[in-house]
Amino acid sequence: MAENPFLVNLTREVPSRSSTPSLKYCSSSVEDTVRELQTDSLKGLSDNQDIAYRRNIHGTNELTEEEDEHIAIKFVKTFYEDKLILLLIGSAAVSFWMGNTDDAVSITLAIFIVVSVGFVQEYRSEKSLEALNQLIPAEAHLTRNGSTQTVLASTLVPGDLVHFSVGDRVPADIRVTEAVHLSIDESNLTGENNPVFKNIDAIRSSEVVPVTGRESIAFMGTLVRDGHGSGIVVATGSLTEFGTVFAMMSEIEKPKTPLQNTMDKLGEQLSLFSFVVIGIICLIGVIQGRSWLDMFQISVSLAVAAIPEGLPIIVTVTLALGVLRMARHKAIVRRLPSVETLGSVNVICSDKTGTLTQNHMTVTQVWSVDMKDVPLDVHKALSQPLTRDITTLLEVSSICNNARYSPETERYVGNPTDIALVECLPHFCVEDMRGTRERVNELPFSSLRKYMAVCAHSGDKSKCETFTKGAIEKILEKCVSYYDKAGKPKPLDEKTRAQINDMAETLASKGLRVIALAKCAGTFTTEPSDMVFAGLVGMNDPPRPSVRKAIARLMRGGVHVIMITGDSQTTAVNVAKQIGMPINDPRVSVMTGDKLDSMSEEALAAAISNVSVFARTTPEHKVAIVRALQRRGDIVAMTGDGVNDAPALKLADIGISMGKMGTDVAKEASDMVLTDDDFSTILNAIEEGKGIFYNIQNFLTFQLSTSIAALSLIALSTLLKLPNPLNAMQILWINILMDGPPAQSLGVEPVDPEVMNKPPRSRNDKILTTAVIKRLLQSAATIITGTMFVYMREMKDEITARDTTMTFTCFVMFDMFNALACRHNTKSIFSMGMTNSMFNFAVAGSLIGQLCAIYVPFFQRIFQTEALSAGDLLFLLCITSTVFIGDEIRKFLSKSNGISSRYSYNV
């Protein structure tokens, strides 16, 4: 293999700003860059062995954060970063100093178990979050050996030829070789808000060129704001300019999510309450003459058991696992708090194209002025003669087009409208004409212009022609004549303009998207003018099959679905009716962009409750719609795929971008990405979000009822001057059950489909509602009563190992039945079945652990227990099942009262 000069003296170290490859190549011409990197400016790299060698030298094109601490160091730090664990360590040290070696060893072992359980949970949470970061890979449009395809940006190597257009994020540091109206937002790299216009010229300067002055370089991580371009990759990964910025960004610690902050606050309040109660217990015990060392050990152990220090960890794990489940349903959540927020969404504003529809535009009808009132069906085109006006129309649709053919996928890639126009050419036995033309100027399509223009010639620059396509009102206002059947221009009078508008309305009423095409001789400087109207094209994008059912379920669940589209009102209404959206009176249910412009935010907020469709809108209108909905107190989910959708996506409570057709900037501004671009996926995500909230309530009920029961049990024993029913090791084992697998398994309970029949929650709804508090107090009271009954029944004069074993086992079995009852708030376990395999394994493992504690000699010494008879276990089974039976009775009465209330209401 020939030596590659670019591979010399490169390391994986992060370069300084004054020595990056972009600095070198911004001053090199395109020819020099191509020659030095041994590539091709048209075909890209071709030698697979060479590509593999470059990847071996440079690694993957990723900015990976270095692991700053070894896992063992993190584990050790856990022991001294938790104040409660420090108290336990102090207790063990005091026990050892006092000669109580057995207690010291037991407490030390307990500390190790508790810390290990918490560490494993936290580590799983971190790994889940790391997995989420890999779910949205950056993509690049790559040409190798003359074949263009979309690949993961991580596979790029220096010398690759890549292409980028409006909304794309530049996948590496690239020496620009083609630039058409190319402007790039480099604010995340330079801090400058104004987009930088790029060109292919080398920078000539005797001084070091600053990053802001490297106009021939497109930097990794920056966003294409306008136009399109191509270029040669000169740096990947940490060698890019963004790599040096990433090194600084990686040092910033991520803040906790709002939900985690809420749970932390709840934990602080519970901790304060627990410490007060524990302090009183300790004080009373000492006053009663008990050993201060015993009371100290019991109090510290009780503190660990009573305070749900694992609550934030379990919440994070629950959210992360929920996100991974959503990913399997094609919904990738980029921010954890969005998982829970999804359950509160009561308004969904959705794009029509690609989300509600299949996003594969197909040209079905074409029309020119001389056709009068009968457009040509594309599928019947071969059976009819091809007139000159239709030939011109097809010429415009072919040349004014940016769709690219990919031999790898054997299909066109690019804008759906462009693809549809090129794919219809074979129906007329017409080939793509772009190979016979050379472009000299292009005005890219934008949401403000609403049209695209291309200036090209067939070899003679003096015979340039301008081709345009776009919204009918924009194209028509630039036209002064039209082509007749013979292909000759004729004056465009008001009658003909009215005829064109009438036909456009007719095509739109059939649910077709209508675009106009025009052509003229000559070129343009700023905007084309004096155009000749060629005709209209109607294309169809059918609704997705699953959308109608999804909208019906969302509406039953109290979610208002709004369709927002740039298409005409007629087209929008037609599609809305096909997918089952309520359009009873178009004057009330439909609003156009023009009407929206004339309304104040207050007026829009008042009128929007009855609107189901917004037509002829711009991305700016989306922002106004979101503001109006939020002004009413609605929780809004907004979908989008373009650069200009980013403000609305960011403003919405849940921004949803498209994974296939969405631009990188839209994905970055969003909270969730639909990898299949399918609206029905949103339904699954909202269902999951609602289910997660109820799961959080369920394991919170379990944890707090156990915590209250443990505290109350020790408090009652102390007040009644009875020996403590549980020793330190037994309390810590209960703590493991409370914060460990049984609690965590409640967080992954399968979502109940009935949650979609419940209305969305209010933004300010508390997790600990009155109903939840009543439920956990009922469970805690049952556990306390039953455990105290067993304790008083067993204890005679002095407390024995059997007494504590019976009490300890009673409490643990109560805990398992309580966990079973907490799987659902209102539905009987008998109707649910044992569908949560993680819960089944967690409870089974906990029971096996308890059996080991009372039957294995080694654990008997640790927990100070003795073996129980089968009769003892059967007796305890009958007692402890009362917490489950009581909750089942509560669910039955609640359901009966609910049915009675609905019956009375209906009567």
Side-chain angles (χ1 to χ4, degrees), residues 755-770:
V755 298
M756 288 307 299
N757 296 328
K758 300 178 181 179
R761 301 189 318 277
S762 170
R763 188 187 298 269
N764 299 320
D765 277 359
K766 297 179 180 179
I767 292 181
L768 277 182
T769 62
T770 303

Side-chain angles (χ1 to χ4, degrees), residues 8-29:
V8 177
N9 196 30
L10 283 178
T11 67
R12 296 303 295 165
E13 295 178 1
V14 179
S16 66
R17 280 290 180 90
S18 59
S19 63
T20 53
S22 69
L23 175 61
K24 172 184 177 181
Y25 286 98
C26 74
S27 302
S28 300
S29 66

Side-chain angles (χ1 to χ4, degrees), residues 259 319 326 335-345 654 688-690 692-693 696 761 765 767:
L259 181 61
L319 293 177
M326 288 185 188
R335 297 180 177 91
L336 275 185
S338 304
V339 181
E340 191 270 335
T341 307
L342 277 164
S344 302
V345 169
I654 296 291
E688 190 72 46
K690 284 187 173 184
I692 284 175
F693 178 82
I696 291 175
R761 301 189 318 277
D765 277 359
I767 292 181

Side-chain angles (χ1 to χ4, degrees), residues 141-157:
H141 308 296
L142 169 67
T143 294
R144 282 181 182 166
N145 199 20
S147 175
T148 301
Q149 56 184 314
T150 300
V151 301
L152 296 183
S154 59
T155 63
L156 296 180
V157 297

Side-chain angles (χ1 to χ4, degrees), residues 714-725:
I714 302 299
L716 284 173
S717 301
T718 304
L719 290 174
L720 297 174
K721 296 184 178 182
L722 297 174
N724 288 319

Side-chain angles (χ1 to χ4, degrees), residues 44 350 573 667 816 901:
S350 175
V573 170
K667 293 176 184 176
M816 295 301 99
S901 299

Side-chain angles (χ1 to χ4, degrees), residues 72 83 152 196 280 341 475-476 528 532-533 638 868:
K83 296 179 181 179
L152 296 183
V196 179
I280 295 173
T341 307
I475 298 298
L476 220 89
V532 184
F533 181 78
M638 169 68 74
L868 300 178

